[in-house]
Amino acid sequence: MGWSDVMDFIDRFRTDQIMQQLQAWNIADLNSNPWFLGSFAAAVVITYLIGWRAISAFLVGIGGFALALSYTLAKGTGTEGIQGGGLYVIIGGGAAAIGLFIYLLFIKSE
């Protein structure tokens, strides 16, 4: 593995390439896709009722952040996203998802 291979690997993590990949995956459509929302909610409820608190907390954290990211990408990136409230959504949604994750995993006890 040479230096050029390392640089090619690191080059994949540039912001413009990450945003291009997220748009290729249609992440912006997740917040309006009823199948994704329903399956996400069902998975969280089922794992919570079974008693798998750690898996439920993980799903809430990852899914909540994915929904916040989806809503933010739907608003737009760059200055038009900031003016449309996209920055507040990603910060608030991310904080809420992380807060709920911490609550379910560490604070809530039976």
Side-chain angles (χ1 to χ4, degrees):
M1 182 170 197
W3 183 252
S4 64
D5 294 333
V6 172
M7 290 307 293
D8 288 339
F9 180 73
I10 292 174
D11 191 46
R12 294 181 189 165
F13 294 105
R14 287 191 352 221
T15 305
D16 60 340
Q17 289 187 357
I18 291 174
M19 293 305 293
Q20 189 177 41
Q21 186 61 41
L22 288 175
Q23 290 172 351
W25 287 342
N26 290 330
I27 298 289
D29 296 337
L30 287 181
N31 62 351
S32 61
N33 186 347
W35 289 104
F36 174 76
L37 296 174
S39 62
F40 170 70
V44 169
V45 168
I46 289 170
T47 56
Y48 189 77
L49 291 177
I50 289 176
W52 297 343
R53 306 284 191 248
I55 294 173
S56 178
F58 181 74
L59 287 175
V60 166
I62 296 297
F65 188 71
L67 286 174
L69 184 64
S70 169
Y71 189 75
T72 302
L73 285 176
K75 287 260 188 204
T77 58
T79 56
E80 68 272 0
I82 293 173
Q83 292 171 354
L87 182 65
Y88 300 123
V89 169
I90 193 69
I91 291 172
I98 290 171
L100 192 56
F101 171 76
I102 290 171
Y103 174 74
L104 286 173
L105 193 59
F106 298 113
I107 298 173
K108 179 139 172 91
S109 62
E110 288 194 57

